[in-house]
């Protein structure tokens, strides 16, 4: 409870003594490039193979000849949009971006750069952390949309190249019984996960104490805590919005 209270106070302090709007716009653009553009490659690789594996495993588990082949595309679509694209990508996001945020802020803490900002009258939490959180909440949903598209395409490639489904059946399965709310649910999860990863990682890095070894430990704790928070939020959002 003490850590939770300290985390809430940490988030609230971002809005004290804020810099000019133009400053934040510049910082958010810089962070967006770091957070989003530099994560495209790893997200593309992971999501494509997840879609391909899902298609192959779905086919493996379909043993009844009465089940139509288009069900493979249908299951890949629902698993991708509801769970795989936002959640698995969030785990990757925590490992790449979250650890980077924690190590960056941890290094600034142990080298007294954060103290120097505060001596100059700058709200270090608002200046350093707020742009990272906003950039994550802007860029991560875009990464999830890309991941969903590539996962479906990966499933398409696996299904057609392995002859477990025809292209027509797979595409028909993707379109069959489509519920638009699942996309809304995916995007809501994306924004929540992005906030959790960026804020928790920043919190862990900002309060790093010691030297270079402790920076690495803060980075590890940031990824661990972010993953736990993602899974907990995933369950709560599913209970609240799908039941």
């Amino acid at each position: 409870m003490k850590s939770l209270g300290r985390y809430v106070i940490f988030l609230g302090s971002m809005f004290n003594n804020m810099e000019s709007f133009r400053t934040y716009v510049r910082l958010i653009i810089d962070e967006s490039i770091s957070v989003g553009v530099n994560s495209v490659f790893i997200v593309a690789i992971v999501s494509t193979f997840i879609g391909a594996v899902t298609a192959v495993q779905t086919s493996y588990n379909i043993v009844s000849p009465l089940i139509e082949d288009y069900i493979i595309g249908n299951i890949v679509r629902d698993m991708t949009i509801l769970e795989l694209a936002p959640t698995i990508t969030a785990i990757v996001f925590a490992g790449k971006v979250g650890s980077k945020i924690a190590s960056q802020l941890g290094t600034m803490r142990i080298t007294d750069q954060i103290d120097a900002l505060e001596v100059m009258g700058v709200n270090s939490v608002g200046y350093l952390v707020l742009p990272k959180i906003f950039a994550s909440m802007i860029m991560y949903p875009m990464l999830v949309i890309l991941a969903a598209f590539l996962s479906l395409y990966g499933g398409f490639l696996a299904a057609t190249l392995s002859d477990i489904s025809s292209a027509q059946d797979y595409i028909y399965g993707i379109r069959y019984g489509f519920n638009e709310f699942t996309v809304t649910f995916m995007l809501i999860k994306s924004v929540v996960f992005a906030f959790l990863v960026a804020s928790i990682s920043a919190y862990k890095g900002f309060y790093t104490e010691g030297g270079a070894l402790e920076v690495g430990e803060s980075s590890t704790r940031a990824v661990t805590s972010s993953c736990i928070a993602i899974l907990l939020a995933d369950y709560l959002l599913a209970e609240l919005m799908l039941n």
Side-chain angles (χ1 to χ4, degrees):
M1 291 301 294
K2 182 179 178 181
S3 296
L4 180 61
R6 195 181 186 192
Y7 170 70
V8 173
I9 294 172
F10 171 75
L11 294 179
S13 65
M14 289 190 300
F15 302 99
N16 297 331
N17 189 25
M18 298 183 69
E19 302 297 316
S20 67
F21 179 75
R22 180 178 297 179
T23 300
Y24 283 111
V25 169
R26 178 177 55 80
L27 291 172
I28 289 173
I29 291 174
D30 292 341
E31 292 292 344
S32 295
I33 295 172
S34 173
V35 167
V37 176
N38 294 339
S39 302
V40 168
F41 179 73
I42 184 66
V43 169
I45 293 293
V46 171
S47 56
T48 302
F49 278 94
I50 282 178
V53 171
T54 303
V56 173
Q57 291 187 351
T58 301
S59 172
Y60 174 77
N61 285 288
I62 294 177
V63 295
S64 173
L66 299 178
I67 299 176
E68 300 288 345
D69 286 344
Y70 74 84
I71 290 299
I72 295 173
N74 195 260
I75 291 176
V76 172
R77 180 202 68 197
D78 285 344
M79 290 187 67
T80 293
I81 295 177
L82 286 173
E83 190 62 28
L84 296 178
T87 307
I88 300 300
T89 307
I91 303 297
V92 176
F93 192 73
K96 186 177 188 306
V97 176
S99 62
K100 181 180 178 182
I101 290 174
S103 61
Q104 185 182 42
L105 291 176
T107 302
M108 294 184 72
R109 169 63 74 187
I110 66 170
T111 55
D112 297 330
Q113 295 180 61
I114 292 178
D115 293 335
L117 283 174
E118 292 173 351
V119 167
M120 290 188 292
V122 176
N123 177 8
S124 58
V125 181
Y127 186 79
L128 296 173
V129 177
L130 190 61
K132 297 182 190 303
I133 294 178
F134 268 92
S136 296
M137 295 173 69
I138 292 170
M139 298 304 294
Y140 183 66
M142 297 182 188
L143 290 173
V144 169
I145 293 172
L146 175 67
F149 173 78
L150 291 176
S151 180
L152 293 175
Y153 187 65
F156 173 82
L157 291 177
T160 53
L161 295 177
S162 303
D163 288 330
I164 60 179
S165 174
S166 66
Q168 292 77 13
D169 284 338
Y170 184 85
I171 294 172
Y172 177 74
I174 289 177
R175 301 175 62 183
Y176 179 77
F178 177 66
N179 182 358
E180 295 85 355
F181 178 73
T182 57
V183 176
T184 303
F185 180 61
M186 178 185 74
L187 295 176
I188 291 173
K189 287 172 68 171
S190 305
V191 174
V192 173
F193 292 167
F195 172 79
L196 290 173
V197 170
S199 61
I200 291 173
S201 301
Y203 171 74
K204 295 293 184 183
F206 193 83
Y207 290 111
T208 300
E209 295 179 351
L213 181 62
E214 283 72 20
V215 172
E217 292 176 353
S218 294
S219 179
T220 302
R221 285 198 297 269
V223 175
T224 304
S225 300
S226 296
C227 290
I228 294 172
I230 288 167
L231 297 176
L232 180 61
D234 190 28
Y235 171 74
L236 293 175
L237 288 171
E239 282 285 349
L240 290 172
M241 302 185 68
L242 297 182
N243 285 337

